[in-house]
Amino acid sequence: MASSAFPIEGGCACRAIRYRMTTAPMVVHACHCRWCQRETGASFALNAVIETDRVELIQGQPELVDTPSHSGKGQKIWRCPTCRIALWSHYAGGGETVRFVRVGTLDSPDAFPPDIHVFTASKQPWVQIPAGHKTFEEFYNAKEVWPPEAQARWKATRR
Ligand SMILES: [Zn+2]
Ligand SMILES: [Zn+2]
């Protein structure tokens, strides 16, 4: 995506929470695990993985809900306190410095197709993954999969 397209805004259903993503994400994940299917009530979760400081609140204050996750380490999901829509979450692996922004809450969600599909072992069979998309039955090693620029950005969040 052209960098001129940013910032891109998003928010919850009742509009109490509004936020902006200041740059493109490092990567976009479609997660087909059963946990994400349950949580979204759908077939997969679509997450834009981005540095926490590149997501700025414009309005409102999301509320933290500790939620069990596939890894057993839990997921910290931030939701609108009024309409309870999930806006983003933090996983144990990325910690507080990496946000998984729910692509469906962005005002232009069409602009963020997945780069990588994970946990396709539990993909719902009707979901057809387009040719050329990277897919993994479970997870993967970012060092083997991410472009160097994205790896450098990730590394910078580890400090
Ligand atoms: Zn809301
Ligand atoms: Zn998942």
Side-chain angles (χ1 to χ4, degrees), residues 12-17 80 82-84:
C12 65
C14 78
R15 296 186 72 84
I17 309 284
C80 169
T82 306
C83 70
R84 307 289 172 180

Side-chain angles (χ1 to χ4, degrees), residues 52-73:
T52 293
D53 60 9
R54 297 187 188 201
V55 183
E56 299 172 353
L57 269 174
I58 300 170
Q59 179 177 293
Q61 180 58 56
E63 187 174 272
L64 175 63
V65 179
D66 273 309
T67 308
S69 71
H70 184 274
S71 72
K73 292 174 186 163

Side-chain angles (χ1 to χ4, degrees), residues 84-148:
R84 307 289 172 180
I85 295 288
L87 298 149
W88 53 72
S89 59
H90 299 270
Y91 288 91
E96 297 294 318
T97 53
V98 177
R99 252 174 206 165
F100 286 64
V101 174
R102 302 291 172 95
V103 169
T105 67
L106 289 163
D107 293 345
S108 49
D110 297 354
F112 301 93
D115 300 300
I116 300 172
H117 296 257
V118 296
F119 292 102
T120 58
S122 51
K123 179 179 77 63
Q124 293 174 13
W126 65 267
V127 175
Q128 301 292 317
I129 295 177
H133 281 212
K134 291 191 179 86
T135 67
F136 297 91
E137 286 207 347
E138 289 191 25
F139 213 70
Y140 63 91
N141 184 347
K143 288 197 177 91
E144 292 160 8
V145 177
W146 287 20

